[in-house]
Amino acid sequence: MPTMTYRQAVTEAIATEMRKDDSIVFFGEDVAKAGGVFKVTPGIYEEFGPLRVRDTPISEQAIIGAALGAAITGLRPVAELMFADFIPVAMDQIVNQVAKYRFMSGGQFTVPLTIRASQGAGGGFGTQHSQCAESWLMNFPGLKVVAPSTPADMYGLLRAAIRDDDPVIVLEHKSLYNLVGEVDLNAAPEALGTAEVIRRGEDITLVATQQMLHRALEAADKLAEEGIKPEVIDLRTLVPLDGATILRSVQRTSRLIIVEEAPRLGGWGASVAALVADEGLFYLDAPIKRVNMENALIAYSPVLEDEIIPNAQKIEKAVRQLLS
Amino acid sequence: MVKIRLAEEEIQNLFMANLVRGTTHLAIGQEACAAGVALALSKGDTVTCTYRGHGHALALGMSLRSLMAEMMGKESGACKGRGGSMHMTDKSIGLLGANAIVGAQLPIAMGAALTAQVKRAGAIAVTFFGDGAANIGLFHESMNMASVWKLPLLFICENNLYGEYSHIRETTPIDDIADRAAAYAMPGLIVDGQDVEAVYAATESAARRARNGEGPTLLELKTYRYGGHSRADTGPYRKPGELAQWQERDPIDILTARMFADGELDQEEFLEIKDAMAQEVFDAVEWAKAEPFPSLQSLDDFVYASGRRPCLR
Ligand SMILES: Cc1ncc(C[n+]2csc(CCOP(=O)(O)OP(=O)(O)O)c2C)c(N)n1
Ligand SMILES: [Mg+2]
């Protein structure tokens, strides 16, 4: 199996699908000739040409609106919004148009549209370029939200998103772009909506995504040295949310910690906690705990940014507390 | 135009009778805009429009039954009762949707024009919007992007002088929206929106230009809505005499007067046409009234194509 970076997995996924399906077009700001600000899409323009791969003006609303119009008339667009922090600029198009178009038309249209954006803290980008966007987008039926954590998942889930007949927002964590992993280029694309148990364990369930997943795994390694065996679940898609996998795990471990990079209030972790409280309360031997960024903003200064994002030590501490 | 007017008068009655819910936005007085543009389009062309869109839908050929059933939230409506007045959509006639967010329909038509360009289909896209929408960011983003990409797209501004209850003079520093075309290097033409033949001619030549790969055009149709903005608004903010002045240039009268003078139509024939259309509207309304509402089991329908629920357990 070839190894590649998370960044290359994005390029490979787009190119693979574009080779198979002429109706896929790809556009965004500086994605074509320059290959993207994070150099995530080099070579796509050269391979597929200016009709299908385009640099756009700096017009986030128009990018999404155009992608929607193209999606309902026979193309399968992949649109990039660069930083997920720019999603709010295009929020009306995403939540009032893209999410509702199929519904408002009574099913006359499907919206096979993929929106990509890079998100997350840890890079010193400051408060307007470091947020996680998934929780903002979960309250809009009609959208699907994907957050891949590994090169293999980036390749598989992005391909699945492009093939999906519903609008899918794929959030790439920018701290993971250099992560290297094995990718099965011939794997059959899956349907969106399944979480994965990344590490088996019996003492406690840790649910996380992206950067926090890797920190949870780091914490699990540490805890294993003390004989504590956490089970670690990667959600992979936030919508649809795979509640069944979480409930099954909590049924075995009786304890749940949700690790989330974004602020606590209104975060996806609250929905996961509510789901388990609703349907799995009697599996639990301890309260559900959430390890989050506090309800504060991400500073530029490295010491402040590092302090606010959950790390392996904070996760370990929460696990020990819950088991004691 | 006659059909649109009669249908909209009936829609207002249905709204007053509480058979149409929420709100309605009528385009009585503006019929020549919808009719003239629609006449110049071909099969395969696509349109987005505003919540003031019953006229656009009918001009494009939407069935009265399908429209009236949708107005009443019935399962046999074009959008199966999920859309309603402000989201009238009919794929079969190229109507990609009316939109209730001011200006949001512009880039959607631009995307349809992109599809036409990528597939080299020879089709064009059209987007209708109001004078008020010309102050929304998306107007500018869409005009710019469409021009840069030379998309086959017509921007049709129906300038009826008001955005809700505010006169254009209070919200916009220029009288002619067409002036803004210059900023995006595309032609911007002012057209008499009360004269259906003028609207047709202008659209036809802009459409030809778009089909030839020469890019988008902005047409500003000067027009006027006789009614208020929506619901029961009577337009108390209008200058006295303004409505009467515009009614002297009624789009239906302008066309029929010309046809009478040319001997293409006589009064009697016109009344026959009108009666037949009134009957058609009446039949559609009666039919729609008797149609069933959507079943309560269908609440989840049309949210996801894949049919999956957002939370799997
Ligand atoms: C983004 C947004 N802002 C405000 C409104 C409320 N609103 C509905 S119609 C309207 C006036 C629009 O005027 P214009 O574009 O001239 O179209 P007209 O109604 O005259 O056809 C406003 C402000 C809205 N629906 N969407
Ligand atoms: Mg207006």
Side-chain angles (χ1 to χ4, degrees):
Chain A
M1 241 189 273
T3 60
M4 64 177 73
T5 61
Y6 185 84
R7 169 186 279 111
Q8 287 166 324
V10 177
T11 325
E12 279 303 318
I14 296 172
T16 303
E17 292 307 307
M18 285 189 81
R19 276 174 213 131
K20 289 199 169 80
D21 182 349
D22 283 346
S23 72
I24 299 170
V25 292
F26 172 47
F27 51 85
E29 293 160 21
D30 292 318
V31 300
K33 295 200 184 90
V37 293
F38 291 106
K39 295 287 173 277
V40 171
T41 55
I44 304 273
Y45 173 76
E46 288 73 12
E47 180 171 352
F48 301 100
L51 204 59
R52 293 175 66 194
V53 183
R54 300 182 187 214
D55 289 318
T56 65
I58 306 162
S59 302
E60 284 76 13
Q61 300 185 68
I63 290 169
I64 301 304
L68 168 59
I72 60 173
T73 50
L75 296 182
R76 193 170 278 274
V78 178
E80 184 186 297
L81 283 183
M82 202 186 291
F83 284 81
D85 309 71
F86 309 157
I87 284 174
V89 176
M91 203 66 166
D92 171 63
Q93 286 293 322
I94 295 173
V95 310
N96 275 321
Q97 312 301 332
V98 168
K100 295 176 181 167
Y101 227 80
R102 176 173 173 75
F103 184 75
M104 291 190 297
S105 72
Q108 293 179 73
F109 293 111
T110 50
V111 184
L113 163 59
T114 304
I115 299 172
R116 297 176 36 244
S118 63
Q119 69 168 4
F125 282 97
T127 195
Q128 293 177 335
H129 286 70
S130 300
Q131 298 160 98
C132 282
E134 58 269 49
S135 296
W136 309 341
L137 299 163
M138 290 174 70
N139 208 231
F140 300 104
L143 294 180
K144 293 180 179 173
V145 183
V146 177
S149 308
T150 62
D153 266 2
M154 177 52 82
Y155 181 71
L157 293 172
L158 180 53
R159 286 177 70 205
I162 295 171
R163 289 181 176 210
D164 201 287
D165 282 335
D166 289 312
V168 185
I169 301 188
V170 180
L171 297 162
E172 301 162 11
H173 201 293
K174 54 186 172 296
S175 76
L176 301 179
Y177 276 136
N178 291 330
L179 182 73
V180 177
E182 286 192 338
V183 175
D184 179 1
L185 293 173
N186 302 315
E190 51 179 322
L192 297 173
T194 48
E196 196 177 324
V197 178
I198 301 291
R199 182 188 177 114
R200 285 268 162 206
E202 59 233 30
D203 297 327
I204 187 164
T205 299
L206 302 178
V207 175
T209 62
Q210 298 195 316
Q211 180 165 236
M212 293 303 107
L213 175 80
H214 295 284
R215 293 187 180 181
L217 289 168
E218 194 187 324
D221 279 342
K222 248 325 202 341
L223 291 160
E225 293 168 12
E226 303 165 24
I228 300 170
K229 298 193 206 70
E231 175 142 309
V232 182
I233 295 178
D234 179 2
L235 273 187
R236 304 165 83 237
T237 70
L238 282 298
V239 185
L241 183 67
D242 181 1
T245 297
I246 299 168
L247 286 165
R248 256 197 316 273
S249 174
V250 173
Q251 191 170 14
R252 289 195 299 103
T253 65
S254 312
R255 286 179 171 81
L256 173 64
I257 293 182
I258 302 155
V259 190
E260 193 179 357
E261 184 174 315
R264 186 182 303 272
L265 205 59
W268 60 259
S271 295
V272 170
L275 174 77
V276 174
D278 266 356
E279 301 194 16
L281 187 65
F282 300 116
Y283 303 153
L284 291 168
D285 288 341
I288 300 167
K289 191 149 182 68
R290 294 174 66 201
V291 178
N292 276 78
M293 180 180 291
E294 286 311 318
N295 285 322
L297 296 172
I298 302 159
Y300 166 68
S301 173
V303 293
L304 297 177
E305 183 175 22
D306 288 350
E307 178 58 24
I308 203 172
I309 311 168
N311 55 26
Q313 293 72 39
K314 286 181 186 163
I315 299 166
E316 286 163 41
K317 196 173 144 205
V319 169
R320 286 193 197 96
Q321 261 177 10
L322 214 59
L323 287 171
S324 68
Chain B
M1 290 196 283
V2 174
K3 192 196 269 190
I4 296 170
R5 179 154 312 175
L6 293 170
E8 288 214 304
E9 285 169 354
E10 187 53 30
I11 287 167
Q12 187 64 10
N13 294 337
L14 293 169
F15 179 72
M16 292 305 179
N18 211 22
L19 286 169
V20 168
R21 311 178 69 224
T23 185
T24 57
H25 305 79
L26 306 182
I28 292 174
Q30 301 186 191
E31 294 90 345
C33 303
V37 171
L39 213 57
L41 302 185
S42 307
K43 197 167 160 45
D45 294 344
T46 49
V47 175
T48 64
C49 65
T50 74
Y51 45 84
R52 200 179 300 290
H54 312 135
H56 307 123
L58 290 172
L60 288 166
M62 186 171 186
S63 104
L64 269 169
R65 283 188 170 192
S66 165
L67 179 118
M68 290 299 180
E70 188 59 33
M71 295 297 304
M72 296 183 207
K74 301 299 181 72
E75 179 69 20
S76 47
C79 310
K80 302 198 181 318
R82 271 66 170 184
S85 170
M86 296 202 284
H87 305 296
M88 206 54 77
T89 304
D90 188 345
K91 188 179 180 180
S92 71
I93 54 169
L95 178 58
L96 303 181
N99 213 299
I101 305 294
V102 170
Q105 73 279 16
L106 277 78
I108 299 172
M110 179 164 69
L114 176 65
T115 299
Q117 187 181 67
V118 170
K119 295 197 163 181
R120 299 189 170 89
I124 64 166
V126 170
T127 184
F128 287 96
F129 55 96
D131 45 292
N135 294 330
I136 282 266
L138 265 174
F139 165 82
H140 300 273
E141 290 192 10
S142 304
M143 293 271 289
N144 182 66
M145 201 186 280
S147 185
V148 170
W149 288 355
K150 275 199 169 335
L151 293 177
L153 176 58
L154 310 189
F155 291 91
I156 313 275
C157 178
E158 292 176 274
N159 181 350
N160 60 9
L161 298 179
Y162 291 89
E164 265 179 15
Y165 318 128
S166 300
H167 192 273
I168 185 169
R169 284 268 163 84
E170 297 162 39
T171 59
T172 310
I174 50 173
D175 286 335
D176 300 322
I177 304 299
D179 289 352
R180 292 188 173 168
Y184 303 104
M186 70 173 82
L189 292 117
I190 296 174
V191 182
D192 178 358
Q194 302 309 89
D195 180 349
V196 69
E197 291 175 287
V199 174
Y200 169 78
T203 310
E204 208 274 328
S205 84
R208 198 159 355 103
R209 195 173 174 277
R211 282 187 223 283
N212 284 341
E214 293 167 67
T217 299
L218 169 63
L219 297 181
E220 179 185 4
L221 314 182
K222 301 281 193 187
T223 187
Y224 197 78
R225 56 167 158 78
Y226 294 171
H229 166 67
S230 66
R231 297 166 65 97
D233 172 34
T234 53
Y237 42 84
R238 303 201 260 224
K239 272 187 276 188
E242 189 180 80
L243 172 60
Q245 212 180 336
W246 278 91
Q247 280 173 323
E248 275 168 33
R249 299 205 66 251
D250 182 81
I252 297 173
D253 291 348
I254 290 176
L255 179 66
T256 51
R258 199 173 293 152
M259 291 176 83
F260 294 155
D262 292 350
E264 288 174 286
L265 184 77
D266 63 34
Q267 192 73 39
E268 203 171 311
E269 284 169 332
F270 177 56
L271 287 178
E272 270 170 32
I273 292 171
K274 219 170 151 176
D275 282 348
M277 284 180 175
Q279 188 62 43
E280 208 187 317
V281 170
F282 178 81
D283 289 347
V285 168
E286 291 308 306
W287 177 83
K289 280 182 187 165
E291 284 294 289
F293 283 110
S295 87
L296 298 184
Q297 282 69 52
S298 70
L299 273 174
D300 284 343
D301 288 3
F302 314 126
V303 179
Y304 290 99
S306 52
R308 303 195 94 178
R309 291 178 133 257
C311 189
L312 308 172
R313 41 186 102 155

